[in-house]
Amino acid sequence: MKALPHLRHPLVEWGVLLILLSCLYLRGIDQVGFHRDESHWIATSTFLEAALDPQFIPPEWITTHRLHKPFQARVPSWARVGLGSLEPPNDTWGTHYWTLTQPPVARYIIGIGRRLCGYTTDELNPPWRFKISDSDNRAAGNVPSRGLLRSARVTMAVMSIASGMILFALVSACAGRTAGWIFVALYAFSPYLLIHLRRAMGDPPLLFFTCLAMLTGMLALQTWETTQKRAWPLIWLAMMGFCAGLAGASKLNGLGLVGAGVALGWLIALYPRGFATRSERLTFAFGASLVVLITAAIAFIAVNPFLYPSPLARTTAMFVLRISEMGSQKGDPLSGMSGVSQRLAIIPHRILEDHALIHFGLINALLGSVGLVYLVRSAWQWLIGKGSSPASPVLLMVGCVSVFPALTTPLDWDRYYLFPVVFLSSLIAIGLGKSLTELVRKLRQESPPS
């Protein structure tokens, strides 16, 4: 079944895709509801200037936020030594709440967007203060101006358009153009995605670098499948590791992509052609794993000057702070999920109904299951050399490591379901696209010749 017969020329098809996504993601960006965390992300985009100018003088709110005691108590003693002084004042890249709470890549991207629109650090808002009322925050100037907010959001929307195009390519490679265009419809018209992929927060950059990691991972498998020359898959896996590092430097859970990269290296080693001995397979697998780990670490550390003095200790402290904050936040009766039974009651409902484009959980579960079965089967066929698309194992591996954190989070926050919603949309598109293709094929076989 051809997706759109009149769009056979690739440039026309990609042009239509770009126009469609641009119209939906750039139009009405001011109408997206303001999230208080956007105030934090935009305020801390001042880290861009701090990274570019060693003499940059940070605003007072950067260095006066005290770290809460539960966090300090949870940091292992060996890591605490690498943090230096925990008492203010500190410089921009010292140890304080703003360097520990999130890595800086999303802040850089927001900073680039506002600078391109002419907004300097003098026009930035201070971060939102959650312990005072909304009206007091507005009176204190903690809400970004409309133009500043728009400049930051446009950058996010552009990245989300690029993510949609990459995902279209991957889904199409897995299951054909019909599935690809079904995914585009789910991605382009989803009210949930149109909110969370346009807000000035860390989620759009995280998804973008995840998509780049999938694209480079697919190219690693593809070059091995066609050439069996070991250098090219290692180069592409190195690029995947680099993208994984940048995803982690956007939001910490992006570091899970390293596991997917390592798994792809082992899949190449298990491929039936290209290795003469078991020893060669193991050498390649361990070498590929090392390449992914090293390049991810280089990217993650290189973009974050806070990590330079003691990368391992300070990265550990960042995870400790995130876990500590989630521990305190899960006590909120409106958003906390205290146990497995509560998660099982809430999370499937959010993913399959509340945040899906079509709010029919049974249908979404059925189509998603069909898509998952096909994806697993297609990935297995690639592994045994039966000619399936290398996009299938990539989408499967990255989907697993990306969705898992959302399924284990103790917080029922809308944005935490981003990856489950995106990958469920992919599975629905694959399941529906392949089902329609198979149905049309059978109808053609059964129809009498004219």
Side-chain angles (χ1 to χ4, degrees):
M1 180 178 180
K2 293 172 181 166
L4 286 175
H6 60 288
L7 297 180
R8 291 178 182 177
H9 196 287
L11 290 179
V12 174
E13 185 173 41
W14 283 100
V16 170
L17 176 60
L18 177 61
I19 292 170
L20 174 64
L21 291 177
S22 298
C23 287
L24 288 164
Y25 272 83
L26 293 174
R27 184 171 175 263
I29 205 165
D30 293 321
Q31 278 68 57
V32 175
F34 174 72
H35 194 289
R36 293 174 294 178
D37 280 359
E38 287 184 282
S39 170
H40 282 232
W41 287 98
I42 292 173
T44 54
S45 70
T46 190
F47 276 62
L48 175 66
E49 282 76 11
L52 297 174
D53 181 9
Q55 306 303 319
F56 176 75
I57 300 174
E60 184 181 2
W61 54 262
I62 282 187
T63 57
T64 55
H65 194 296
R66 291 183 177 272
L67 294 163
H68 51 81
K69 291 182 180 179
F71 157 74
Q72 297 185 43
R74 291 187 178 107
V75 178
S77 57
W78 65 267
R80 200 177 302 125
V81 173
L83 296 181
S85 174
L86 298 180
E87 295 298 326
N90 284 304
D91 62 16
T92 303
W93 299 111
T95 303
H96 49 78
Y97 177 80
W98 302 106
T99 48
L100 287 167
T101 187
Q102 291 290 351
V105 163
R107 294 165 172 169
Y108 293 161
I109 293 169
I110 291 171
I112 291 170
R114 63 164 170 78
R115 285 182 65 139
L116 288 173
C117 293
Y119 289 94
T120 66
T121 54
D122 294 335
E123 297 167 277
L124 291 179
N125 56 280
W128 189 275
R129 294 169 59 193
F130 289 95
K131 292 184 178 180
I132 65 175
S133 67
D134 290 4
S135 58
D136 288 342
N137 270 290
R138 291 189 180 90
N142 298 338
V143 179
S145 67
R146 182 176 179 178
L148 175 59
L149 181 62
R150 179 178 178 79
S151 70
R153 284 180 170 180
V154 166
T155 314
M156 302 294 104
V158 169
M159 298 188 84
S160 299
I161 292 166
S163 297
M165 296 182 74
I166 295 172
L167 287 164
F168 165 76
L170 291 168
V171 172
S172 296
C174 286
R177 282 197 177 94
T178 300
W181 280 100
I182 292 172
F183 172 79
V184 169
L186 296 173
Y187 186 87
F189 295 99
S190 166
Y192 172 87
L193 295 177
L194 285 170
I195 290 173
H196 293 284
L197 291 181
R198 296 193 291 176
R199 280 178 171 159
M201 297 167 69
D203 304 292
L206 172 62
L207 178 62
F208 173 72
F209 289 117
T210 298
C211 290
L212 284 183
M214 286 194 286
L215 184 61
T216 51
M218 184 188 73
L219 291 171
L221 300 190
Q222 190 174 61
T223 53
W224 177 252
E225 181 184 27
T226 55
T227 67
Q228 271 85 59
K229 293 181 179 179
R230 301 178 192 181
W232 280 108
L234 289 175
I235 290 171
W236 285 115
L237 284 175
M239 295 182 69
M240 182 180 183
F242 195 82
C243 292
L246 293 178
S250 299
K251 290 189 76 174
L252 288 173
N253 57 308
L255 290 176
L257 291 169
V258 173
V262 169
L264 293 180
W266 280 85
L267 286 184
I268 292 174
L270 293 172
Y271 196 73
R273 297 189 298 274
F275 296 102
T277 66
R278 181 182 179 185
S279 176
E280 287 183 355
R281 292 181 187 276
L282 289 175
T283 299
F284 181 89
F286 283 110
S289 301
L290 196 60
V291 165
V292 173
L293 288 167
I294 290 174
T295 52
I298 289 172
F300 181 73
I301 295 168
V303 297
N304 191 352
F306 165 67
L307 299 178
Y308 295 172
S310 185
L312 184 57
R314 296 189 170 200
T315 301
T316 300
M318 292 177 75
F319 277 99
V320 170
L321 178 64
R322 184 80 283 266
I323 294 169
S324 176
E325 287 196 321
M326 290 176 71
S328 61
Q329 291 162 342
K330 72 178 181 180
D332 184 347
L334 296 178
S335 60
M337 294 185 289
S338 58
V340 175
S341 59
Q342 195 173 12
R343 288 192 183 93
L344 290 175
I346 293 174
I347 292 175
H349 192 270
R350 294 283 187 263
I351 297 169
L352 295 172
E353 293 195 20
D354 291 347
H355 302 321
L357 177 59
I358 301 173
H359 304 299
F360 292 102
L362 185 60
I363 293 175
N364 290 327
L366 178 61
L367 290 173
S369 297
V370 172
L372 180 60
V373 169
Y374 175 80
L375 192 63
V376 171
R377 178 174 173 270
S378 180
W380 174 252
Q381 287 181 326
W382 183 89
L383 182 60
I384 62 177
K386 290 292 183 68
S388 291
S389 170
S392 298
V394 172
L395 201 60
L396 182 63
M397 293 296 178
V398 173
C400 288
V401 300
S402 300
V403 169
F404 180 74
L407 302 181
T408 57
T409 178
L411 299 176
D412 181 27
W413 287 358
D414 287 356
R415 65 181 182 275
Y416 280 15
Y417 299 107
L418 174 64
F419 278 121
V421 169
V422 169
F423 281 100
L424 176 64
S425 299
S426 302
L427 293 178
I428 290 173
I430 291 170
L432 184 56
K434 292 303 293 184
S435 298
L436 290 174
T437 301
E438 187 65 19
L439 177 62
V440 170
R441 185 184 67 81
K442 289 184 176 181
L443 290 174
R444 285 177 176 173
Q445 287 178 346
E446 294 173 1
S447 59
S450 55

